[in-house]
C-alpha cells in the first residue's frame, strides 16, 4: 500500500480532490481489516482531499455584500473549518512505523496548515472590508443578532424550555452536533446568529439572558444595569425575570440520574452552561487536545439532549453559544495579526 499512498500524495492530492476520495474509497474496501497503519493514513488523506476541495470552492465564491458572506459561510464555506479540524483529529490518530511515510505525512500536514491559514486570512480580510463598506453588523438581515436571542427564541415559547449555552461552540461544530442529533431521531434544525463584538465570553454570554438594556464597562457587558457573571449570579438574575427558572452547570446535569433529572427539569426554564471547549482549549498544548475536547463535548451534549427528551420530559431544547473560535495548528506570523484600537469599537452598537 505504501507506493499507492506515495502516488496519491505526490500526483493526485494537489490537483484532484474528487479522484483522491474515489481512490481512497476503493482502497479501503480492498484493504485488510488488520492494516491499521494504512487505514489511518488513508483516513487522514481523505480529510485533506475534502479540505482542498472546500478551499477551491471558497476561492471561487463571489461575495459582494456582508449578507452574501453570511449566506455563503453558513451554506458551504463552514466546511473548510470542519474539514481542517477533522483532518487534525485524523492526523493525531495515525499509526505509522515507516520513517519514509512519516516524513511524507509531515510534509502534507505542513502544507495543509499553511493553506488553511492563508485562506482564513484572505477570507477574514474580505469580511472586514465588506463590513466597513456596509455599515458593520447592523444592516445584516441574513442572520439573527445575538442580543435578540431571548426575545426571538426563548420568550416566544409557551412550553417548558431548556437552553444549553455552549461556550465557544463554533458554527461547524454545531453542524456536526446537528447531524448527531438527527441520528437520534430528533426534529432538529439550525439557524445562524451573529455574536456581539468583541466576541468574548464577558461581552457575549450575558446578552443571551432576558434584558431590556445593554451597556458596557471595563468588566464587560451590563444588562439591565447589572454585571452578571458566573452560574450563581446568572441564576439569581434569571429567576428575577422568569418564574421557576434557573441556571446550572453542564457537568452537574451530565451526572444526573434519571430520577434527579425528572425532578429538576420540572422548572419552566433552565439555562445549562457548558464551558469545557473554552476552558480546556485555551491552555491546550496540542491540536490533539483541541480536537478531542471538541469531539468529547458534542458527544456529551448529544447525550444530555437525548436524556432531556427521552427521560426528563423536556420537548423544547435550544443549543446556542456565546462565541466561536479560530484555530490553526501553526504559529501565526505577526504580519497576519490585527491591532484593534478601542476607538474603532462601537460598544453601544456591538460593532467594530
Amino acid at each position: 500500500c505504501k507506493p499507492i499512498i506515495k502516488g496519491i500524495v505526490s500526483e493526485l492530492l494537489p490537483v484532484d480532490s474528487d479522484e483522491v476520495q474515489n481512490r481512497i474509497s476503493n482502497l479501503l474496501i480492498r484493504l485488510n481489516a488488520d492494516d491499521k497503519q494504512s487505514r489511518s493514513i488513508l483516513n487522514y488523506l481523505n480529510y485533506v482531499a475534502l479540505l482542498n476541495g472546500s478551499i477551491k470552492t471558497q476561492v471561487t465564491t463571489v461575495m459582494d455584500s456582508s449578507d452574501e458572506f453570511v449566506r455563503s459561510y453558513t451554506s458551504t464555506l463552514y466546511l473548510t473549518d470542519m474539514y481542517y479540524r477533522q483532518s487534525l483529529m485524523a492526523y493525531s490518530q495515525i499509526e505509522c512505523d515507516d520513517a519514509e511515510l512519516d516524513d511524507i505525512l509531515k510534509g502534507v500536514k505542513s502544507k495543509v496548515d499553511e493553506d488553511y491559514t492563508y485562506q482564513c486570512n484572505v477570507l477574514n480580510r474580505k469580511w472586514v472590508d465588506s463590513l466597513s463598506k456596509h455599515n458593520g453588523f447592523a444592516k445584516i438581515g441574513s442572520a439573527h443578532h445575538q442580543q435578540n436571542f431571548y426575545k426571538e427564541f426563548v420568550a416566544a415559547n409557551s412550553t417548558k424550555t431548556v437552553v444549553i449555552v455552549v461556550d465557544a461552540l463554533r458554527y461547524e461544530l454545531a453542524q456536526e452536533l446537528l447531524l448527531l442529533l438527527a441520528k437520534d431521531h430528533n426534529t432538529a434544525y439550525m439557524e445562524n446568529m451573529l455574536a456581539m463584538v468583541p466576541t468574548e465570553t464577558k461581552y457575549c454570554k450575558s446578552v443571551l439572558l432576558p434584558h431590556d438594556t445593554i451597556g458596557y464597562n471595563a468588566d464587560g457587558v451590563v444588562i439591565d444595569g447589572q454585571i452578571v457573571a458566573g452560574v450563581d449570579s446568572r441564576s439569581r438574575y434569571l429567576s428575577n425575570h422568569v418564574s421557576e427558572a434557573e441556571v446550572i452547570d453542564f457537568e452537574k446535569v451530565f451526572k444526573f440520574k434519571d430520577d434527579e433529572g425528572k425532578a429538576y427539569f420540572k422548572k419552566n426554564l433552565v439555562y445549562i452552561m457548558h464551558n469545557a471547549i473554552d476552558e480546556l482549549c485555551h491552555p491546550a498544548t496540542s491540536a490533539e487536545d483541541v480536537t478531542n475536547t471538541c469531539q468529547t463535548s458534542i458527544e456529551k451534549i448529544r447525550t444530555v439532549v437525548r436524556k432531556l427528551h427521552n427521560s426528563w420530559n423536556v420537548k423544547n431544547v435550544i443549543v446556542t453559544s456565546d462565541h466561536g473560535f479560530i484555530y490553526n495548528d501553526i504559529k501565526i506570523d505577526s504580519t497576519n495579526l490585527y491591532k484593534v484600537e478601542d476607538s474603532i469599537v462601537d460598544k453601544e452598537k456591538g460593532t467594530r
Side-chain angles (χ1 to χ4, degrees), residues 8 12-22 24-25 42-58 76-87 90 108 112 116 176:
I8 289 174
L12 286 177
L13 198 59
V15 294
D16 196 336
S17 300
D18 290 339
E19 180 57 29
V20 170
Q21 293 170 64
N22 290 333
I24 288 174
S25 179
L42 291 172
N43 184 50
Y44 170 64
L45 294 178
N46 189 59
Y47 279 119
V48 173
L50 288 167
L51 174 62
N52 287 347
S54 183
I55 287 175
K56 288 178 182 177
T57 298
Q58 180 174 309
T76 56
L77 298 188
Y78 75 89
L79 290 169
T80 302
D81 294 326
M82 178 182 282
Y83 293 146
Y84 179 69
R85 174 181 57 83
Q86 290 172 335
S87 77
V108 172
V112 165
Y116 177 71
E176 186 165 326

Side-chain angles (χ1 to χ4, degrees), residues 27-77:
L27 283 171
L28 288 173
I29 292 172
R30 302 197 307 269
L31 200 61
N32 190 312
D34 295 330
D35 191 349
K36 294 182 179 180
Q37 174 174 284
S38 297
R39 286 187 175 276
S40 64
I41 292 172
L42 291 172
N43 184 50
Y44 170 64
L45 294 178
N46 189 59
Y47 279 119
V48 173
L50 288 167
L51 174 62
N52 287 347
S54 183
I55 287 175
K56 288 178 182 177
T57 298
Q58 180 174 309
V59 169
T60 58
T61 301
V62 177
M63 298 168 287
D64 294 323
S65 70
S66 301
D67 274 306
E68 287 183 3
F69 262 88
V70 172
R71 283 191 288 267
S72 295
Y73 184 82
T74 55
S75 61
T76 56
L77 298 188

Side-chain angles (χ1 to χ4, degrees), residues 162-166 169 250 270-274 301 304-305 308 317-321:
V162 170
V163 178
I164 304 176
V165 180
V166 187
L169 180 73
F250 179 89
V270 175
Y271 273 61
I272 302 174
M273 298 297 179
H274 181 285
I301 294 164
V304 167
V305 172
L308 285 164
V317 179
I318 303 170
V319 181
T320 190
S321 183

Side-chain angles (χ1 to χ4, degrees), residues 104 121 141 192 279:
I104 290 171
N121 188 39
N192 57 73
E279 287 182 353

Side-chain angles (χ1 to χ4, degrees), residues 30-282:
R30 302 197 307 269
L31 200 61
N32 190 312
D34 295 330
D35 191 349
K36 294 182 179 180
Q37 174 174 284
S38 297
R39 286 187 175 276
S40 64
I41 292 172
L42 291 172
N43 184 50
Y44 170 64
L45 294 178
N46 189 59
Y47 279 119
V48 173
L50 288 167
L51 174 62
N52 287 347
S54 183
I55 287 175
K56 288 178 182 177
T57 298
Q58 180 174 309
V59 169
T60 58
T61 301
V62 177
M63 298 168 287
D64 294 323
S65 70
S66 301
D67 274 306
E68 287 183 3
F69 262 88
V70 172
R71 283 191 288 267
S72 295
Y73 184 82
T74 55
S75 61
T76 56
L77 298 188
Y78 75 89
L79 290 169
T80 302
D81 294 326
M82 178 182 282
Y83 293 146
Y84 179 69
R85 174 181 57 83
Q86 290 172 335
S87 77
L88 292 177
M89 188 161 57
Y91 184 79
S92 70
Q93 295 168 350
I94 289 175
E95 301 176 18
C96 185
D97 55 11
D98 185 293
E100 183 182 9
L101 273 180
D102 190 53
D103 286 342
I104 290 171
L105 293 170
K106 285 178 180 177
V108 172
K109 168 71 165 52
S110 178
K111 182 71 164 54
V112 165
D113 291 337
E114 290 173 2
D115 288 349
Y116 177 71
T117 300
Y118 176 79
Q119 289 303 322
C120 284
N121 188 39
V122 169
L123 192 64
N124 183 61
R125 289 178 184 273
K126 290 180 179 178
W127 170 242
V128 171
D129 288 343
S130 178
L131 286 175
S132 65
K133 292 176 183 176
H134 299 95
N135 300 314
F137 288 169
K139 300 295 183 181
I140 296 177
S142 55
H144 296 278
H145 292 254
Q146 190 176 49
Q147 59 269 35
N148 301 326
F149 168 79
Y150 180 82
K151 291 179 180 178
E152 293 182 0
F153 292 99
V154 184
N157 283 309
S158 58
T159 58
K160 179 169 58 177
T161 299
V162 170
V163 178
I164 304 176
V165 180
V166 187
D167 202 319
L169 180 73
R170 69 185 193 174
Y171 187 83
E172 60 90 3
L173 268 174
Q175 282 283 5
E176 186 165 326
L177 174 61
L178 187 69
L179 293 175
L180 293 176
L181 295 177
K183 289 181 180 179
D184 295 333
H185 307 292
N186 294 292
T187 302
Y189 65 93
M190 179 181 289
E191 297 192 40
N192 57 73
M193 185 167 67
L194 288 169
M196 299 277 286
V197 291
T199 49
E200 296 178 49
T201 297
K202 66 179 182 179
Y203 294 113
C204 299
K205 188 170 283 187
S206 292
V207 300
L208 296 169
L209 297 169
H211 61 269
D212 292 316
T213 63
I214 299 175
Y216 295 85
N217 65 21
D219 297 316
V221 74
V222 181
I223 53 173
D224 289 359
Q226 300 179 54
I227 289 282
V228 186
V231 168
D232 292 340
S233 175
R234 291 181 181 121
S235 193
R236 288 192 297 271
Y237 176 90
L238 184 62
S239 65
N240 288 333
H241 286 72
V242 182
S243 63
E244 296 186 61
E246 195 167 311
V247 178
I248 187 171
D249 182 72
F250 179 89
E251 294 303 324
K252 287 186 178 180
V253 173
F254 189 75
K255 295 174 184 176
F256 275 172
K257 295 178 175 150
D258 281 350
D259 56 344
E260 292 177 298
K262 283 181 182 178
Y264 184 81
F265 288 104
K266 289 180 179 179
K267 298 174 177 62
N268 289 327
L269 175 63
V270 175
Y271 273 61
I272 302 174
M273 298 297 179
H274 181 285
N275 299 310
I277 298 174
D278 197 60
E279 287 182 353
L280 298 179
C281 289
H282 273 302

